Amino acid sequence: MLEPAYQVDVVVVGAGVAGLSAAHRLTSAGVTTAVLEAAPFVGGRMSTEKVDGFRLDRIGQLLFTSYPQLGHSPGLDALVLRPFAPGVLLHSDGRHHRAGGPAGGGGARSALHAVRAFASAPRPPAALPKVRARVRALRPVPPAAAYGAPDALAPEERFAAELPLDAGPPPERAVPGDRAQPFGIGTPLRLRAALSRIATTPVERLLARPELPAGQALAARGLPARTVDGFLRPLLAALLCDPDLTTSSRCADLALRAFASGRLCLPEGGADVLPELLAASLPAGTVHTGVRVTSVATNAVTTAEHGVIRCRAVLVATGARSAAKLLPGLRVPDFHPVTVVHHTTDEPPATGGHLLLDSERGGPVAHTAVISAVDPSRAPAGRALVSSTVLGPDRADVDDAVRRHLARLYGVSTARWETLAVHHTAEAVPAMRPPHDLRRPVRLLAGLYVCGDHRDTSTLQGALHSARRAAAAILGDLGTGRPMHTSDPVPTTSRAAAA
């Protein structure tokens, strides 16, 4: 238990992935750190409910093996990523069409063949390998393929956007009902060329493009309307949790880059495994749950349970709205609401480990998958876990509407499926509408800092990258030798960098 006069170098408010990752960087530098979390558990929005042997993510935001910070964030050595089958399945005209699978398992250029499945019959892998998120699995490439501007990342972080799978290409089997997507002659080549240009354009040029809402930008890029509406719109809506594609086109380009060069994936065992790994690998006594911070200053925090805790610096690493309560004047973004509906059945649909999208957008489900086929640890033996994501406001009939939509998408009856949980999160993902600053300041004053996905991109990559920036700012101030608690102007930048 904390004592009222407990002395520590840095207090981190919030034990989500950003706060825990920053704490790792601080403690690794010899800075004594206390992480205070109001909830009885760590992880924030990356939480998982346990029900009868199932592990059910509350938000289920999609991750990529190509997120650089997964390989360079301390404390994640034991993290195992379970990749989806390559590409995605698109439901159209009562059939499934596979699109977006890499054509080969070699270098980054082979991953640019992201739409070959539009012209050939698809077959997903029979078995999905594990992917470990450590640096040893990564290979250097030129800075243009790194996830950020060349000067925004350390040289060792400029590695390939693809994590090669040690097992090599797995055997393939047919998926019933699959066929080539009828987007018209020449469409695969045009779309592949478009993804290739995004992947090979230098990042500074990518981020210097005129910034529009993603939906408008897609319409202006010369791709056939059917390709945009049947593939790119449902894909980006799933990746960005934004059904209307109001997100900045620059953020959408980064999402397409990640899709073209990596694999969609999930943390093995549930989303909460990632923050729990970060918390467990911190020095004993660093993380304190059930501690509510009521106010912050540059040299102290006030808690409801333990009074004032004096320190040399404070890092606010909560969600955007909670951060603004502690830091008046901090901008609070809009949010994309997300509902995740979890079902179980003893007869899983025959889609394997693919992510399934609805090209026709004929119901509330943005994307769905047999999650137990991707990560068997999330369901007890003999049971399948089907998790489906609905974007937008909550609705009273969501389970019935989702069941009807899933019956069409999977081509099976869902009448006997059991509903395990319905999780609605009103403020699930911070919106990134243009103009969107991809690197909002993390240093507000010397001694007062803020981090989280609302400071970078609204992704796990953005949360971890903002933690890295905040920790670097704190360490820089602690090592300057000047008085810590004098007011400095908020740093500004005229150039955005990817996170």
Side-chain angles (χ1 to χ4, degrees), residues 3 110 130 170 216 247 334 391 483:
E3 296 297 331
S110 67
K130 297 180 180 180
Q216 293 182 24
T247 297
D334 293 330
L391 305 177

Side-chain angles (χ1 to χ4, degrees), residues 53 148 321 438 470:
R321 193 170 301 280
L438 291 167

Side-chain angles (χ1 to χ4, degrees), residues 371-394:
I371 295 297
S372 53
V374 180
D375 178 7
S377 71
R378 298 191 181 212
R383 302 294 292 175
L385 172 62
V386 181
S387 298
S388 309
T389 296
V390 177
L391 305 177
D394 196 12

Side-chain angles (χ1 to χ4, degrees), residues 243-276:
D244 300 321
L245 294 189
T246 59
T247 297
S248 163
S249 55
R250 296 170 182 172
C251 297
D253 282 345
L254 292 178
L256 287 175
R257 174 193 290 274
F259 175 78
S261 57
R263 291 276 290 276
L264 288 163
C265 63
L266 300 170
E268 184 179 66
D272 65 349
V273 167
L274 197 150
E276 287 176 356

Side-chain angles (χ1 to χ4, degrees), residues 197-262:
R197 286 195 298 272
I198 289 175
T200 56
T201 299
V203 173
E204 57 270 27
R205 285 182 56 195
L206 193 68
L207 299 180
R209 284 178 171 178
E211 188 177 20
L212 297 170
Q216 293 182 24
L218 284 178
R221 289 186 180 175
L223 290 169
R226 194 168 182 181
T227 302
V228 171
D229 292 335
F231 174 51
L232 291 175
R233 282 187 179 275
L235 175 65
L236 283 173
L239 301 183
L240 302 170
C241 295
D242 178 6
D244 300 321
L245 294 189
T246 59
T247 297
S248 163
S249 55
R250 296 170 182 172
C251 297
D253 282 345
L254 292 178
L256 287 175
R257 174 193 290 274
F259 175 78
S261 57

